[in-house]
Amino acid sequence: MNASRPDFATLTNGQAVKRSEIPVLTPEVFGQAILDGVAARQRVSALFGASSPIPGATRIYAVLADDEQNLLSAAATDIAGGEFPSLTPRCPQVHLFEREIAEQFGLRPIGHPWFKPVRYCRSWTGRDAWGRPAGQPILPAVGDFYRVEGEQVHEVAVGPVHAGVIEPGHFRFQCHGEQVFHLEIALGFQHRGVEEELIGGPNARTVHYAETLSGDATVAHATTYSHVIEALAGCQASARAQAVRGIALELERLANHIGDLGALAGDVGYLPTASFCGRIRGDFLNMTALLCGSRFGRGLIRPGGLGFDADADRMAELGRRLDAGEKDATVAIRLLWDTQSVMARFEEVGPLPRKVAAELGIVGPAARASGLERDVRRDQPSGIFCFSHIPLSTCESGDVFARAFVRWLEIQHTIGFIRDQIRSLPSGAPRVPVKALAPDSFAVALNEGWRGEVCHVALTDAQGRFARYKVVDPSFHNWPGLAYALRDQEISDFPICNKSFNLSYCGHDL
Amino acid sequence: MINILLARLQQKHRTMKYPDGAPPPLPDRFRGRPVIDTAQCPEGCRACADACPTGALDPQDPGRIDLGKCLFCTDCAEACPKQAITFSQNYQLAARSRKDLLVARERQAAEVAAAALDAKYRKLFGRSLKLRQVSAGGCNACEADSNVLGTVGWDLSRFGLQFVASPRHADGLLVTGPVSRNMALALKKTYDAVSDPRIVIAVGACAISGGPYIGHAEAGNGAESIVPVDLYIPGCPPNPLTILDGLLRLIGRIEDDINFQLSTRNAQLPSKNP
């Protein structure tokens, strides 16, 4: 099936095109094309507002990913006035994107079924989609919540400050006894205003913004940012740099997956794996530190290549540590699958059916655990993943067990991948000079971070500065999946359901 | 059951001896306390200050680095035409006062180690200090490397230090993040919920100064804008060893001077590519 529409421009991951090549459609054709694309199993990777050359109008861009054709497609539409027709009733995966456009640009999506702010911040245009007066403070998570009425129904509110060492967010449960009828998640507490500050860049801070969009996905975001810069500057990192970026991305995946499996064990009171994996995660973070001095990969990925080269001795040491880490992790994680009391707590808890996951546009291990075969490394490969393939890991059941087991499968494949890369690290310059960015251009880059698809889109102005820089963290797609997975579950299972997704708050709130 | 025991044997005993023994080894590319050889600075050169993403180097006097703003990113070292800035292996960065985080030209060899709490506080908290962690716009890296201190390798609880679930159980706060506008009230309320006497520890460049977000409309310039801070632990994020060193100094468990041999003997430019 050739799903790409003639009225959308097609491009590949990591490609820059002139902005004039992005077709500007009427809102009706634009909306229909998105609906048709999603009906043909494309995904909405990004949908965002930007300034329009037409005074008073807002230009909305869409980037669709066609995983079967390994292509991306993009188009835009100009919205004059203060409203646009909402696609959410027919395409649930755009619901947060439309709320974000409303919040940032003050445009009302007409017909949106749950029209609330995303991050509780002022619009960039001075126009407010909710008609709130300019002087009135906007308070996070203050407003109407979905509410179930009834004599025996009660509401549980949690956060923003939680019991664990985690980021802040507000959760509102509608419960009947222990049973959760509905969970609504209100975020925005971590909002730092990064997208607004990215406009006019790149500058001395930009790469540091990329590295801190979500700290546990430093490598994924910094690599994606570098791909955008390299596309706009018309240069390419060497094969060596791309291989090391791939190693770092996969080390990030290993550290987080192992940490998550330990935390899941902790949440069901299974302490052996919890304490082993907590430590082993640190061993993998230290492997990243071996490459660049920082456990989170700060300074390792830079536009044009690497901040730190990888010498042969270092790679040999990495290989030795990988072997030791693999052994420890295997012993620790296998205990989970062999322990009935753990499996009883994982299985059939927090199910996210495949159909719902597809409708919500879920990405990453959470999508693969629900049987959706999507992985940017395979479907929209860039860098080293064009040449070296990692098998896709899926499960069918969509429950906590599936999300845990997909991580275990990915851990095993990823260790093999890193070992191959260490063995055959190509030569080449660690970093090539980056020239000025092309003016009036549009570039998209995707990478499969450990949580799923990291998408960055840049639009440059006539001087080659960012006129808009859009970041879509995988958490932005996946938070609604967690809310759905809690339906009809026991509220006491919230911690393991939450941990099985382990989403980023700051990545969502930016 | 036998599998658990076999696994336990395989995983071995992993709790480190530090602080009674040697600290865990740091990677050779670890970027600790920066050292500036100001004698090499060409007259009027501001290359380092111009390259710094957070304004940690004073443009009037680039010999001064504010560790509270420093991301330890080496952008300054790369920009320096004389390679006068190096990042040493010295992980001992915590300070009790904001001004002690200024690595000044004349003070490079006499940094102030974070002093312990005074006698009254130390009597209360020296052997049991319970902390509530508040992330206020943090990117989750400082949070993660604070949390890791609770794992078996570091075993924070052997010092009577523990992260607790509620401010009502806590003796103080460990704050990360620049304090996003939407977390300012929650941070204040969490602080108010901790009974007096209480302490506040700011971990990471964001919580100390705003870090990469200095000057953002949507983020404050660190915890100090909302609550008084008793201990500053610089880094982006600080290594767990830096955080632990700061915490142990605060409760008086480590009282040595800062090991300046670490700053001088091992000072080297990380082997950056051209």
Side-chain angles (χ1 to χ4, degrees):
Chain A
M1 183 193 318
N2 186 358
S4 62
R5 302 257 317 193
D7 39 19
F8 266 51
T10 53
L11 61 167
T12 54
N13 182 7
Q15 189 189 352
V17 297
K18 283 287 168 199
R19 278 170 77 172
S20 55
E21 290 176 35
I22 304 294
V24 181
L25 311 171
T26 65
E28 292 73 26
V29 172
F30 178 77
Q32 194 56 47
I34 293 173
L35 295 175
D36 291 348
V38 170
R41 295 209 293 277
Q42 296 188 32
R43 297 180 296 107
V44 180
S45 283
L47 180 68
F48 60 95
S51 59
S52 165
I54 301 169
T58 305
R59 183 161 287 185
I60 297 180
Y61 289 85
V63 177
L64 301 181
D66 185 336
D67 295 334
E68 288 165 19
Q69 303 282 326
N70 312 126
L71 276 178
L72 302 171
S73 57
T77 187
D78 281 315
I79 303 294
E83 55 188 51
F84 64 101
S86 170
L87 300 176
T88 299
R90 286 175 290 168
C91 180
Q93 62 180 285
V94 301
H95 81 118
L96 268 180
F97 286 116
E98 291 189 336
R99 282 164 59 177
E100 182 186 51
I101 291 168
E103 190 163 54
Q104 290 177 336
F105 294 89
L107 302 181
R108 280 182 69 86
I110 301 302
H112 194 292
W114 201 240
F115 182 46
K116 291 178 60 166
V118 182
R119 306 183 174 109
Y120 299 89
C121 55
R122 289 255 163 247
S123 93
W124 300 355
T125 59
R127 182 174 50 204
D128 191 277
W130 290 270
R132 296 167 294 192
Q136 181 188 317
I138 296 174
L139 300 173
V142 173
D144 291 335
F145 279 76
Y146 186 84
R147 193 150 190 187
V148 179
E149 299 287 349
E151 205 174 316
Q152 295 181 12
V153 176
H154 66 280
E155 186 177 70
V156 178
V158 181
V161 178
H162 300 284
V165 182
I166 53 168
E167 300 177 66
H170 182 74
F171 300 82
R172 212 49 97 82
F173 299 87
Q174 308 298 315
C175 294
H176 180 249
E178 288 286 296
Q179 190 186 6
V180 177
F181 283 164
H182 186 82
L183 162 62
E184 186 172 351
I185 302 169
L187 301 175
F189 294 92
Q190 297 285 71
H191 180 58
R192 300 157 290 180
V194 178
E195 278 191 0
E196 210 174 353
E197 297 287 339
L198 282 164
I199 293 171
N203 55 39
R205 279 198 198 179
T206 312
V207 74
H208 303 288
Y209 287 139
E211 289 188 327
T212 55
L213 288 166
S214 182
D216 51 18
T218 295
V219 174
H221 277 289
T223 302
T224 311
Y225 166 70
S226 298
H227 285 174
V228 165
I229 295 291
E230 287 155 16
L232 289 168
C235 66
Q236 198 174 19
S238 67
R240 181 184 186 81
Q242 293 185 8
V244 175
R245 285 176 179 180
I247 291 172
L249 185 71
E250 297 306 314
L251 284 175
E252 190 168 84
R253 190 180 323 278
L254 287 172
N256 283 295
H257 279 7
I258 290 167
D260 283 351
L261 291 172
L264 279 166
D267 276 347
V268 298
Y270 188 66
L271 298 184
T273 302
S275 52
F276 300 153
C277 282
R279 178 192 66 75
I280 299 165
R281 172 178 166 278
D283 288 348
F284 281 91
L285 291 174
N286 286 337
M287 291 181 212
T288 299
L290 176 70
L291 298 178
C292 68
S294 159
R295 287 156 55 91
F296 294 84
R298 300 279 158 90
L300 179 58
I301 313 290
R302 286 291 177 266
L306 303 171
F308 294 88
D309 195 11
D311 48 273
D313 289 349
R314 200 172 294 277
M315 284 291 119
E317 170 65 12
L318 178 63
R320 283 191 291 275
R321 292 202 200 176
L322 192 69
D323 292 345
E326 180 185 32
K327 195 172 168 199
D328 286 355
T330 303
V331 170
I333 292 166
R334 282 217 171 122
L335 286 177
L336 291 175
W337 325 127
D338 293 340
T339 306
Q340 283 186 357
S341 59
V342 170
M343 293 297 277
R345 294 284 288 113
F346 283 6
E347 285 177 333
E348 294 173 31
V349 171
L352 183 65
R354 179 193 164 101
K355 183 169 174 291
V356 177
E359 276 186 8
L360 293 175
I362 303 299
V363 296
R368 295 191 282 277
S370 292
L372 293 177
E373 295 194 2
R374 51 180 65 158
D375 186 326
V376 175
R377 293 172 295 176
R378 185 195 69 166
D379 302 329
Q380 313 278 351
S382 62
I384 185 67
F385 300 105
C386 294
F387 309 104
S388 186
H389 303 287
I390 298 183
L392 189 85
S393 305
T394 59
C395 256
E396 292 301 321
S397 52
D399 50 7
V400 168
F401 164 74
R403 286 186 287 276
F405 200 72
V406 160
R407 285 180 168 91
W408 168 232
L409 296 174
E410 293 187 9
I411 287 166
Q412 298 170 79
H413 289 316
T414 275
I415 288 176
F417 166 87
I418 297 176
R419 203 168 271 140
D420 288 347
Q421 298 311 312
I422 292 173
R423 229 179 268 136
S424 56
L425 195 66
S427 57
R431 193 167 175 182
V432 298
V434 177
K435 294 189 283 287
L437 306 191
D440 295 317
S441 295
F442 177 98
V444 187
L446 307 177
N447 272 294
E448 186 75 14
W450 66 273
R451 279 195 187 90
E453 177 180 282
V454 170
C455 173
H456 289 205
V457 188
L459 278 73
T460 54
D461 63 14
Q463 283 75 45
R465 318 296 299 180
F466 293 143
R468 177 79 164 101
Y469 196 97
K470 178 78 202 114
V471 178
V472 187
D473 186 84
S475 304
F476 196 76
H477 297 286
N478 283 8
W479 276 109
L482 170 62
Y484 189 93
L486 251 287
R487 287 194 186 174
D488 290 327
Q489 302 300 296
E490 291 187 14
I491 192 167
S492 52
D493 281 338
F494 175 69
I496 48 168
C497 290
N498 188 28
K499 194 59 77 181
S500 73
F501 283 87
N502 193 8
L503 301 174
S504 170
Y505 298 71
C506 56
H508 173 279
D509 295 346
L510 297 175
Chain B
M1 188 66 205
I2 188 75
N3 286 343
I4 297 176
L5 293 173
L6 289 172
R8 177 68 190 78
L9 276 174
Q10 185 273 332
Q11 301 276 336
K12 302 190 191 79
H13 177 266
R14 301 284 191 150
T15 304
M16 62 185 69
K17 294 245 179 346
Y18 176 83
D20 298 327
L26 289 163
D28 62 330
R29 286 172 171 174
F30 173 76
R31 285 159 265 154
R33 182 180 292 274
V35 179
I36 315 175
D37 181 3
T38 49
Q40 294 198 48
C41 292
E43 187 63 33
C45 177
R46 290 177 25 170
C48 54
D50 291 340
C52 180
T54 59
L57 288 134
D58 185 345
Q60 305 309 317
D61 177 8
R64 291 162 65 94
I65 296 187
D66 182 351
L67 293 185
K69 292 180 177 172
C70 183
L71 305 183
F72 298 80
C73 66
T74 72
D75 288 354
C76 55
E78 271 183 77
C80 178
K82 296 285 184 186
Q83 299 198 336
I85 304 176
T86 52
F87 284 82
S88 71
Q89 288 272 311
N90 192 335
Y91 61 88
Q92 300 157 322
L93 303 171
R96 290 294 309 281
S97 135
R98 183 71 181 82
K99 67 177 186 341
D100 289 343
L101 292 176
L102 289 171
V103 177
R105 186 187 295 272
E106 65 279 9
R107 278 196 27 233
Q108 282 193 27
E111 291 311 325
V112 185
L117 293 163
D118 66 29
K120 177 188 153 204
Y121 275 66
R122 200 166 153 185
K123 188 156 179 286
L124 282 169
F125 301 139
R127 294 170 64 176
S128 170
L129 178 63
K130 309 294 175 193
L131 298 170
R132 174 82 279 262
Q133 204 277 321
V134 181
S135 172
C139 77
N140 73 37
C142 287
E143 292 80 348
D145 265 355
S146 300
N147 203 24
V148 78
L149 295 175
T151 59
V152 291
W154 300 89
D155 193 16
L156 191 64
S157 56
R158 67 196 153 120
F159 308 109
L161 291 161
Q162 203 178 5
F163 293 110
V164 292
S166 164
R168 295 291 191 200
H169 305 160
D171 304 308
L173 302 182
L174 187 148
V175 183
T176 52
V179 187
S180 47
R181 189 177 52 76
N182 283 344
M183 271 305 286
L185 179 63
L187 174 60
K188 180 74 171 67
K189 282 188 169 181
T190 308
Y191 178 76
D192 289 343
V194 180
S195 58
D196 220 7
R198 58 201 156 181
I199 57 168
V200 176
I201 300 163
V203 172
C206 289
I208 297 173
S209 67
Y213 314 108
I214 292 172
H216 277 212
E218 295 291 322
N221 290 336
E224 221 156 25
S225 58
I226 308 289
V227 292
V229 174
D230 299 280
L231 180 69
Y232 304 82
I233 304 181
C236 185
N239 188 280
L241 185 56
T242 300
I243 302 175
L244 184 59
D245 172 74
L247 295 175
L248 294 183
R249 285 177 189 279
L250 185 75
I251 59 171
R253 184 67 204 269
I254 295 181
E255 292 180 301
D256 330 346
D257 290 338
I258 289 180
N259 182 353
F260 278 97
Q261 284 190 334
L262 286 172
S263 296
T264 50
R265 191 178 54 202
N266 295 337
Q268 58 176 357
L269 188 70
S271 47
K272 308 281 288 196
N273 57 66

